[in-house]
């Protein structure tokens, strides 16, 4: 991340600067604490960039990656692996600081015992439904559990038996003894341990009781000496509970929790649960489907880590919930791809063009820059020959006003080549275009005007018969049809036309050797990247990463 602009300050960085100035901490330890119950999405990237970015600010600062793996039923090794890959890809280096809450289960268990001995936790026999009834509502206080006043000895004994597997799931749980009349429902004697006879992906069957996330998370932070526990706003109401656990358990440090607004982006959803549903119900091709807002999806589509980091810097960190336009993210992607993508020409929906005033075997050598700002990369040879292909979008049988490209009797310039004139359109019985018969103007090479000096407005891309190679190109659109699909019926808003597969587009044969994730700009069309899964040696499949311009926002207006 070294050659990027220094991150702008934000309210969290200001708090941290104060804490360092006041000598509260010598340096910082921040962390990214995912639950391994799905793949990461762009929202998580905000948290990763923020927490890792802070660790770059101060000498001696550290960044931890910690899996908050307290829920054995929803967690899988596949998710753990994908999360590591995604965090590393974003450039957030955790060094040796990779942790798992499940490694702390002994410590967390000791904390529970500590609470019991202090009379601050009890084993409760209420079932789920009764617990809900006793909890009260936002308007009404809760009621004490009838088991709340068990003796310390009974609680120790029962908790031990829970641990030893002597009770069934749901038969008993351990609850903190806080305040059933608190206006904050999180403080109403929350459950901290429950019985689960499930195998944990990392530690197997060692435990049949599992600490609840709300208990595990603050204790894990404290055990790791996290100085600033940065989380999203929905945890604001949990802060008093987390502080209560920290104050009442034998922890080695006191993290400071700071909340910020989560990232929302229009036309997509950033919720693991909903993304999981898209995958399991086959609405997309997988977690890494290039239409998905997952890190693996956007990576496969051709987004770069730098573009995501730039985006996070641009949108900043605040306490106010907002929804960001997808076009902001795309603009960052475009900026980076413009720098790094090699140029080439490709024709998505070819129309054959016969250059009538050329001999069958005649060819003319031309070339184009591989990158306009990087002359050191040299030039790509292109061959002009009697048969070439142009995109069907660049031809109209009955051109509308304002259309400056090819039509019957019209002329247009071929990029890096000649001006051609359309003399004749060959159609089949149904009026479908079979081929165009054109003449080229030999004096117009190198951008020169025709002999009489007239201006030719349109410039189009093309590929010649000699250069062409077929390749599959995939065009993606927004995954949802509406701006805010974040409702329970989000499936109804899926854009069924979000994937267009063009099986035989024509690309320049030079780029058939492209490797997975290589970036190209197909001139006038967009930025494309080689799909890592669908491609094979010598047969790349290209994903359209992003269009050249923000046509979307324009058409919306
Ligand atoms: P989801 O809501 O998608 O299920 P989560 O919050 O349950 O996500 P976690 O694995 O618990 O997922 O998240 C790890 C970290 O990422 C947490 O600190 C969480 O606050 C943060 N995070 C999750 N979603 C966003 C988001 N949209 N914007 C910013 N940070 C996020
Ligand atoms: Mg969460």
């Amino acid at each position: 991340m070294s050659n990027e602009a220094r991150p702008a300050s934000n309210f969290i960085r200001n708090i941290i600067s104060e804490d360092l100035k006041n000598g509260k901490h010598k340096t910082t330890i921040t962390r990214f604490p995912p639950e391994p119950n799905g793949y990461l999405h762009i929202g998580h990237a905000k948290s990763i960039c923020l927490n890792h970015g802070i660790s770059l600010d101060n000498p001696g600062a550290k960044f931890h990656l910690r899996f908050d793996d307290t829920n054995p039923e929803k967690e899988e090794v596949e998710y753990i692996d994908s999360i590591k890959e995604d965090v590393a890809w974003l450039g957030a280096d955790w060094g040796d600081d990779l942790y798992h809450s499940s490694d702390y289960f002994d410590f967390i268990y000791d904390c529970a015992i500590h609470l019991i001995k202090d009379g601050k936790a009890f084993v409760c026999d209420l079932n789920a439904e009764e617990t809900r009834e006793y909890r009260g509502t936002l308007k009404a206080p809760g009621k004490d559990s009838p088991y709340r006043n068990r003796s310390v000895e009974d609680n120790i004994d029962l908790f031990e038996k829970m641990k030893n597997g002597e009770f069934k799931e749901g038969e008993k749980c351990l609850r903190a003894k806080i305040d059933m009349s608190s206006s904050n429902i999180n403080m109403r004697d929350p459950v901290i341990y429950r019985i689960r006879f499930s195998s944990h992906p990392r530690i197997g069957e060692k435990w049949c009781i599992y600490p609840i996330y709300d208990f595990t998370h603050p204790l894990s932070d404290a055990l790791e000496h996290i100085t600033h526990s940065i989380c999203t706003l929905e945890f604001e109401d949990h802060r008093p509970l987390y502080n209560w656990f920290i104050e009442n358990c034998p922890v080695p440090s006191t993290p400071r929790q700071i909340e910020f607004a989560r990232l929302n982006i229009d036309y997509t959803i950033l919720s693991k649960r909903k993304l999981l549903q898209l995958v399991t119900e086959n609405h997309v091709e997988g977690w890494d489907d290039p239409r998905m807002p997952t890190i693996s999806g956007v990576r496969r589509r051709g987004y770069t880590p730098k573009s995501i980091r730039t985006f996070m810097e641009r949108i900043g960190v605040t306490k106010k919930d907002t929804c960001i336009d997808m076009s902001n993210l795309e603009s960052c992607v475009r900026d980076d791809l413009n720098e790094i993508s090699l140029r080439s020409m490709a024709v998505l929906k070819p129309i054959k063009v016969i250059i009538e005033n050329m001999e069958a075997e005649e060819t003319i050598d031309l070339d184009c820059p591989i990158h306009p700002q990087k002359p050191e990369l040299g030039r790509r040879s292109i061959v002009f020959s009697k048969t070439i292909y142009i995109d069907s979008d660049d031809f109209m049988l009955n051109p509308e006003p304002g259309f400056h490209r090819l039509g019957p009797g019209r002329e247009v310039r071929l990029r890096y080549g000649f001006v051609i004139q359309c003399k004749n359109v060959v159609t089949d019985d149904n009026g479908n275009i079979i081929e165009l018969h054109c003449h080229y103007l030999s004096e117009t090479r190198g951008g020169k005007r025709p002999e009489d000096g007239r201006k030719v407005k349109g410039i189009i891309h093309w590929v010649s018969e000699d250069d062409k190679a077929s390749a599959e190109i995939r065009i993606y659109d927004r995954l949802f049809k509406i701006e805010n699909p974040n409702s329970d019926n989000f499936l109804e808003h899926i854009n069924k036309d979000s994937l267009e597969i063009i099986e035989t587009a024509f690309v320049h044969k030079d780029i058939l050797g492209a490797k997975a994730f290589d970036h190209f700009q197909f001139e006038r069309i967009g930025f494309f990247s080689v799909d890592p899964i669908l491609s094979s040696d010598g047969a790349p499949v290209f994903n359209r990463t992003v269009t050249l311009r923000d046509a979307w926002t324009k058409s919306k207006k």
Side-chain angles (χ1 to χ4, degrees):
M1 296 194 186
S2 51
N3 64 351
E4 286 166 44
R6 235 196 88 81
S9 113
N10 57 49
F11 82 97
I12 295 183
R13 285 197 145 91
N14 294 342
I15 293 176
I16 291 178
S17 301
E18 279 299 304
D19 282 352
L20 292 172
K21 212 162 69 197
N22 298 338
K24 191 172 169 210
H25 301 288
K26 286 202 185 61
T27 186
T28 58
I29 306 180
T30 48
R31 86 290 180 261
F32 175 63
E35 293 180 66
N37 57 1
Y39 279 57
L40 297 184
H41 52 63
I42 291 279
H44 295 113
K46 180 173 182 181
S47 172
I48 295 167
C49 291
L50 177 60
N51 281 290
H52 178 255
I54 288 166
S55 77
L56 299 178
D57 286 352
N58 307 302
K62 284 182 165 216
F63 167 73
H64 293 188
L65 172 60
R66 182 184 70 241
F67 289 100
D68 270 342
D69 51 351
T70 57
N71 187 346
E73 283 132 12
K74 291 188 177 164
E75 293 164 9
E76 285 176 28
V77 174
E78 177 195 346
Y79 298 145
I80 297 187
D81 293 342
S82 77
I83 290 171
K84 283 195 217 159
E85 185 182 354
D86 292 349
V87 175
W89 179 76
L90 279 170
D93 182 5
W94 59 83
D96 294 329
D97 294 303
L98 173 66
Y99 304 103
H100 300 84
S101 291
S102 54
D103 290 340
Y104 307 150
F105 280 181
D106 285 317
F107 166 74
I108 295 166
Y109 179 78
D110 290 345
C111 288
I113 297 284
H114 183 95
L115 289 177
I116 295 174
K117 287 187 174 160
D118 272 357
K120 289 174 181 160
F122 65 98
V123 172
C124 185
D125 299 5
L126 294 180
N127 63 30
E129 198 185 316
E130 291 162 338
T131 306
R132 215 171 304 125
E133 276 165 26
Y134 275 76
R135 192 181 296 130
T137 63
L138 279 173
K139 290 194 187 109
K143 276 190 306 190
D144 283 358
S145 159
Y147 306 97
R148 201 175 197 261
N149 295 318
R150 276 179 164 149
S151 69
V152 170
E153 292 69 33
D154 282 355
N155 281 319
I156 292 276
D157 177 56
L158 289 169
F159 190 47
E160 178 81 18
K161 287 184 171 137
M162 278 172 64
K163 181 184 175 224
N164 293 338
E166 294 179 33
F167 300 116
K168 291 198 291 286
E169 284 188 12
E171 201 180 334
K172 291 204 167 19
C173 64
L174 185 71
R175 297 174 65 179
K177 200 189 278 188
I178 309 180
D179 179 6
M180 287 308 288
S181 62
S182 172
S183 56
N184 182 341
I185 294 186
N186 293 307
M187 302 297 274
R188 295 185 189 166
D189 293 3
V191 174
I192 58 176
Y193 260 95
R194 58 198 180 119
I195 301 169
R196 279 290 177 280
F197 291 97
S198 327
S199 177
H200 187 280
R202 284 192 77 249
I203 52 175
E205 261 118 74
K206 181 170 175 209
W207 295 88
C208 65
I209 52 171
Y210 286 93
I212 292 291
Y213 178 90
D214 273 349
F215 191 44
T216 313
H217 181 76
L219 295 179
S220 302
D221 276 352
L223 193 61
E224 289 180 19
H225 293 265
I226 300 299
T227 55
H228 299 87
S229 301
I230 300 169
C231 60
T232 35
L233 281 173
E234 66 268 27
F235 292 101
E236 201 164 17
D237 286 347
H238 296 238
R239 183 168 7 113
L241 177 61
Y242 293 177
N243 287 342
W244 189 91
F245 289 139
I246 300 276
E247 277 158 29
N248 290 289
C249 292
V251 294
S253 82
T254 308
R256 172 170 182 176
Q257 176 166 317
I258 310 170
E259 304 89 11
F260 70 99
R262 59 190 291 123
L263 172 64
N264 301 300
I265 300 183
D266 64 1
Y267 292 94
T268 194
I269 45 176
L270 296 179
S271 143
K272 270 190 280 186
R273 186 178 58 78
K274 291 188 180 133
L275 293 174
L276 175 66
Q277 201 178 337
L278 290 178
V279 173
T280 52
E281 294 177 12
N282 296 316
H283 300 288
V284 292
E285 291 175 5
W287 284 100
D288 65 351
D289 186 304
R291 291 166 293 178
M292 288 280 271
T294 49
I295 309 284
S296 49
V298 301
R299 172 170 62 231
R300 183 169 166 196
R301 180 155 170 172
Y303 284 29
T304 59
K306 184 177 168 191
S307 60
I308 295 172
R309 294 196 297 263
T310 305
F311 171 67
M312 297 305 167
E313 276 307 320
R314 283 195 201 163
I315 59 173
V317 180
T318 64
K319 266 205 179 278
K320 199 172 159 282
D321 265 318
T322 51
C323 186
I324 307 284
D325 280 7
M326 182 68 98
S327 55
N328 289 333
L329 174 56
E330 289 177 339
S331 148
C332 296
V333 173
R334 220 173 265 129
D335 287 354
D336 193 28
L337 292 182
N338 194 38
E339 282 211 4
I340 64 175
S341 301
L342 305 185
R343 272 45 171 187
S344 189
M345 288 198 282
V347 172
L348 301 190
K349 292 174 187 158
I351 306 184
K352 191 176 202 173
V353 177
I354 306 291
I355 309 292
E356 287 185 316
N357 56 342
M358 267 182 106
E359 299 302 325
E361 301 304 317
E362 191 184 349
T363 58
I364 301 174
D365 291 335
L366 301 168
D367 62 23
C368 65
I370 288 182
H371 195 295
Q373 281 89 47
K374 297 179 187 167
E376 69 277 13
L377 292 179
R379 299 182 71 83
R380 195 184 299 290
S381 307
I382 45 182
V383 171
F384 183 63
S385 59
K386 188 170 178 73
T387 303
I388 67 165
Y389 298 88
I390 66 168
D391 243 316
S392 57
D393 282 355
D394 288 328
F395 179 86
M396 284 184 99
L397 259 182
N398 302 300
E400 314 171 327
F403 184 81
H404 296 299
R405 289 160 281 163
L406 208 54
R410 290 185 163 219
E411 57 189 11
V412 77
R413 178 176 295 282
L414 300 176
R415 194 150 169 82
Y416 306 115
F418 300 92
V419 170
I420 57 169
Q421 297 174 325
C422 181
K423 300 288 185 190
N424 188 23
V425 181
V426 181
T427 53
D428 64 15
D429 295 345
N430 300 322
N432 300 315
I433 299 167
I434 297 175
E435 59 188 34
L436 310 178
H437 291 176
C438 297
H439 279 194
Y440 85 106
L441 307 182
S442 60
E443 75 276 16
T444 56
R445 186 176 181 148
K448 289 201 199 71
R449 290 188 181 190
E451 247 158 24
D452 67 355
R454 69 182 179 277
K455 217 172 162 180
V456 178
K457 260 196 175 168
I459 302 184
I460 63 173
H461 55 274
W462 57 285
V463 178
S464 75
E465 181 71 45
D466 290 49
D467 283 339
K468 86 167 204 289
S470 304
E472 180 176 318
I473 291 186
R474 294 185 160 217
I475 305 288
Y476 302 101
D477 195 358
R478 302 278 193 267
L479 187 50
F480 290 95
K481 289 179 294 197
I482 60 167
E483 212 163 308
N484 180 6
N486 272 293
S487 54
D488 286 335
N489 58 351
F490 68 103
L491 294 175
E492 288 167 25
H493 303 302
I494 291 181
N495 175 8
K496 295 267 190 312
D497 301 319
S498 54
L499 167 63
E500 183 190 357
I501 300 177
I502 303 172
E503 276 169 26
T504 47
F506 289 160
V507 299
H508 192 289
K509 62 180 188 300
D510 258 18
I511 67 168
L512 281 190
K515 298 275 168 300
F517 300 111
D518 280 356
H519 302 284
F520 291 94
Q521 183 193 111
F522 293 149
E523 300 217 20
R524 298 188 62 245
I525 310 180
F527 292 102
F528 292 78
S529 146
V530 177
D531 190 282
I533 312 236
L534 303 168
S535 305
S536 51
D537 264 358
V541 171
F542 294 93
N543 290 323
R544 186 174 73 189
T545 311
V546 65
T547 52
L548 288 183
R549 269 174 277 315
D550 180 11
W552 173 269
T553 309
K554 239 196 262 163
S555 75
K556 214 167 56 166
K557 277 173 191 153

